[in-house]
Amino acid sequence: MSLPHAILTALLEKPSSGLELTRRFDKSIGYFWSATHQQIYRELGKLEAGGLIRALPAEQPTRGQKKAYEVLPAGRAELARWTAASQDPKPHRDALLLRLRAAAVVGTAGLEADLRRHLELHERQLAEYREIERRDFPPGRDSPQDRLQHLVLQAGIDLETFWTRWLGRALAEFADLPGHEPG
């Protein structure tokens, strides 16, 4: 149920076409709520049919022109309702952690190399988040919107920091296992 709310949020920040939304998801919201191009377009149709958004009138009628959308008052009200509603945390599911647990009973073949790969991916993501923070949140940017957006980014930084530390610890543990052969 959160994809429509992610789209409403993005459109309230800036009216956009489906293609622009897809690009914006790739660069911001998609870090914590991903969606494919098809999912975004399908959801735009549902939001429009539900009276929560509307296509902006085209400046010049041309065939194949991108439709840009804006949020209607009903869409803003729905987003405010959803934002204020209480939600319980979702149980964490992670295949890597399950694979590590399984390795305790079937052996660790191949897992160490994948832990190293995961560490590299998390290190890259952490570096990207830190670059976004440096670029988009210089000292003095402290409007309420900036502070809340920065808080979301800081959650990403904290999560990536956790994973890089934990994966380093996991790899050190692997090196200490009896009969360990580096992999």
Side-chain angles (χ1 to χ4, degrees):
M1 183 65 178
S2 293
L3 179 57
H5 300 102
I7 291 172
L8 288 170
T9 299
L11 289 175
L12 278 170
E13 290 173 347
K14 180 182 177 197
S16 304
S17 69
L19 181 58
E20 291 166 337
L21 279 173
T22 299
R23 289 180 181 146
R24 288 176 55 213
F25 263 70
D26 289 343
K27 293 179 183 175
S28 62
I29 291 175
Y31 286 124
F32 55 90
W33 198 271
S34 62
T36 66
H37 186 76
Q38 292 83 6
Q39 289 171 316
I40 290 171
Y41 272 94
R42 190 170 39 248
E43 203 56 51
L44 284 170
K46 289 178 188 176
L47 290 168
E48 188 173 26
L52 302 179
I53 66 171
R54 73 175 180 127
L56 291 169
E59 291 178 16
Q60 298 176 4
T62 58
R63 193 173 181 97
Q65 183 179 19
K66 299 182 291 186
K67 277 201 270 186
Y69 295 90
E70 70 177 352
V71 177
L72 294 171
R76 180 180 282 275
E78 168 53 23
L79 187 59
R81 182 209 59 77
W82 179 78
T83 301
S86 177
Q87 290 186 346
D88 292 337
K90 301 278 187 238
H92 183 73
R93 294 172 58 176
D94 191 292
L96 180 63
L97 296 177
L98 183 57
R99 290 172 53 219
L100 191 59
R101 178 75 181 252
V105 292
V106 299
T108 62
L111 192 53
E112 185 176 7
D114 204 36
L115 288 171
R116 290 186 193 290
R117 186 180 69 82
H118 277 252
L119 178 58
E120 289 174 19
L121 292 170
H122 284 288
E123 286 172 337
R124 270 188 273 171
Q125 190 63 64
L126 179 57
E128 186 173 341
Y129 285 164
R130 286 188 170 143
E131 174 57 25
I132 291 168
E133 183 178 43
R134 185 200 62 72
R135 182 191 69 220
D136 294 349
F137 297 100
R141 276 196 68 180
D142 61 353
S143 72
Q145 182 176 354
D146 288 334
R147 290 172 64 186
L148 292 176
Q149 288 176 346
H150 192 194
L151 192 59
V152 172
L153 179 61
Q154 288 170 329
I157 289 170
D158 289 348
L159 286 169
E160 295 303 328
T161 299
F162 161 79
W163 279 113
T164 57
R165 287 181 183 156
W166 182 86
L167 285 160
R169 189 166 54 240
L171 287 164
E173 193 68 35
F174 261 71
D176 250 6
L177 292 174
H180 173 260
E181 294 181 28

